[in-house]
Amino acid sequence: MAAGASGYADILRAPHAMRLLLGTLVGRLPNGIASIAIVLFVRAEGGGYALAGGLVAAYGVATAVGQPLLGRAVDLYGQPRVQLPAAVLSALGTVLLAAVGIDPLWVAYLACVVAGVFTPPLEGGLRALWPSVLGREDHVHRAYALDAVAQEVMFTVGPLVVTLLASLWSPTAALLVINVLGVLGALSVVVSEPSRTWRSAPREAHWLGALRSRGLLALLGAFFFVGLALGSIAVAAMAYSDGNGGDAVYGWLMAALGLGALVGGVFYGARQWAGAPERRLRAIVALLAVGYLPLMLTPGAVAMTALAALAGVFLAPALACAFIVVDRHAPRGTVTEAFSWLVTTFGVGAAVGSAVAGPVVELSGATASFAVAGAGGFAALLVLVATRKVLAVPGRTTELAKAVPAVSENDRNGAVEPGFSTGHRA
């Protein structure tokens, strides 16, 4: 663990690393806690769970559409010309929602769509920058774990910030404040030297882009269901909180989910792992699925908070491992787009989970909607098991990739993670 802590310190001491990590973290804040902020806003406006779930779903689907398109634009045109304008437009969509409320309803949906579709692909952008900032492959892979941990810091602190702003000021203020912070975070990233000078590797022109990789498609199919589980938990936790202490309990439940993932991510990134990451990912997702099942017990608020923390423990490790798998299977020259597709998968899955959980809550209560999360976790595992042959041998098949068989898209030095090969063959 001491060696892992030293490795994290080495990453953060690298020039620009801390700024990029913090800027991306703040820039992702609007997207990371949008579901909570929208649910609180809709309830304050007098809307029900079905409407809240519908608006969250619209936001999630719009994000899913926008992320790969914006990610491909980043690969083609660079980060500053795409990230900052997108962040501003997304914030303006949220301003429209705050100004109009839920009446007329079509404007509320339009506002959520605009806010979602222009969400800047900061996550994929940061993962594309790590190789040029850190240089060494072992540092890049540890940075993936650190990135997942930082995301869980956002999911831990973010719900508390939103509920605090909503309680002390208003849900409208919460929406506006987090989006102003998001624009400032994106600005901090795009004016940095690594972001301004980064260029994607050469790519083969293909209309499918990153999606021509069968391994990437298999991974995205699995993480759709992980997103579904998380989206259903957001709505189910709100329904549970209504009968067990209100918004404050909801904030603690969501924060505990993020805290559990944070702890799991720290321990995962503190050591080097031998063996193929695809095999390791199946084991982690199996543990993630099992961790969702106790939520259906719906005990008192204190015990439920502990169960939420337990349910989150394997989320960050699953993401960190998935980042490596994405890098191993993505076609050359599609780095930002490939990582953005992972965000898209989460967005679609979370949107479906929210849309399903809302009516389930109204028909059968919170326990049944927590069952949706458990089902999502096991569906993700089944996809990984069913596609294990597709994921077993990563490799790029394009002629351009064959010309540089030893170099990973995110590893321009040609290094490999200890314990396995890149799998790129001539």
Side-chain angles (χ1 to χ4, degrees):
M1 188 66 183
S6 175
Y8 285 134
D10 289 341
I11 291 170
L12 295 176
R13 281 196 297 264
H16 308 290
M18 180 68 80
R19 172 180 180 172
L20 291 172
L21 184 65
L22 291 179
T24 301
L25 182 65
V26 174
R28 288 155 56 182
L29 189 62
N31 180 245
I33 57 179
S35 60
I36 300 172
I38 291 173
V39 168
L40 291 175
F41 178 78
V42 170
R43 291 182 70 250
E45 293 287 309
Y49 289 114
L51 175 58
L55 289 176
V56 170
Y59 178 91
V61 170
T63 302
V65 171
Q67 287 292 292
L69 296 177
L70 293 173
R72 183 176 295 193
V74 168
D75 285 330
L76 292 173
Y77 305 113
Q79 294 196 3
R81 295 171 65 181
V82 178
Q83 305 275 38
L84 186 59
V88 172
L89 289 171
S90 178
L92 290 176
T94 303
V95 170
L96 177 62
L97 177 64
V100 173
I102 58 175
D103 186 22
L105 189 57
W106 71 269
V107 177
Y109 273 98
L110 175 64
C112 288
V113 168
V114 170
V117 77
F118 288 107
T119 297
L122 292 169
E123 295 178 60
L126 177 63
R127 290 159 204 155
L129 292 176
W130 281 133
S132 62
V133 173
L134 301 176
R136 290 173 46 184
E137 178 75 354
D138 60 331
H139 283 184
V140 171
H141 287 173
R142 182 159 281 141
Y144 287 160
L146 182 62
D147 185 10
V149 168
Q151 180 169 300
E152 299 315 320
V153 171
M154 176 180 67
F155 285 129
T156 301
V157 176
L160 299 178
V161 172
V162 171
T163 52
L164 181 63
L165 285 171
S167 299
L168 297 180
W169 202 348
S170 70
T172 300
L175 274 176
L176 296 176
V177 169
I178 63 173
N179 277 273
V180 169
L181 291 175
V183 172
L184 293 177
L187 178 63
S188 175
V189 170
V190 300
V191 299
S192 68
E193 181 182 355
S195 180
R196 288 186 287 106
T197 59
W198 178 85
R199 294 296 182 271
S200 178
R203 61 188 286 158
E204 178 189 19
H206 195 289
W207 71 275
L208 279 176
L211 293 183
R212 64 184 183 271
S213 165
R214 295 175 63 204
L216 181 62
L217 289 174
L219 180 70
L220 297 180
F223 274 77
F224 165 84
F225 290 106
V226 176
L228 183 146
L230 293 177
S232 64
I233 286 176
V235 177
M238 177 62 75
Y240 168 86
S241 300
D242 278 347
N244 293 272
D247 291 348
V249 171
Y250 180 61
W252 281 110
L253 288 178
M254 300 307 292
L257 193 70
L259 179 62
L262 186 155
V263 172
V266 167
F267 277 90
Y268 176 82
R271 59 163 292 179
Q272 292 183 343
W273 297 88
E278 292 84 2
R279 186 181 305 113
R280 183 164 66 251
L281 183 61
R282 287 195 294 272
I284 295 172
V285 170
L287 293 170
L288 180 67
V290 171
Y292 288 145
L293 297 181
L295 294 174
M296 291 186 290
L297 298 174
T298 58
V302 174
M304 192 63 176
T305 301
L307 291 180
L310 178 64
V313 166
F314 294 100
L315 178 59
L319 289 171
C321 191
F323 299 156
I324 298 173
V325 176
V326 167
D327 183 48
R328 282 158 60 88
H329 288 268
R332 184 171 173 81
T334 64
V335 53
T336 311
E337 180 188 346
F339 282 121
S340 296
W341 273 114
L342 191 61
V343 178
T344 285
T345 303
F346 262 89
V348 173
V352 172
S354 298
V356 169
V360 169
V361 165
E362 294 183 346
L363 290 174
S364 304
T367 299
S369 60
F370 281 122
V372 175
F378 280 99
L381 176 60
L382 287 176
V383 172
L384 290 176
V385 171
T387 60
R388 61 187 181 279
K389 291 184 179 179
V390 173
L391 287 166
V393 185
R396 300 187 177 108
T397 58
T398 66
E399 292 302 315
L400 179 61
K402 291 177 182 178
V404 284
V407 181
S408 168
E409 174 65 17
N410 277 344
D411 177 23
R412 297 174 186 176
N413 296 317
V416 297
E417 182 187 24
F420 61 89
S421 67
T422 60
H424 300 152
R425 300 167 295 169

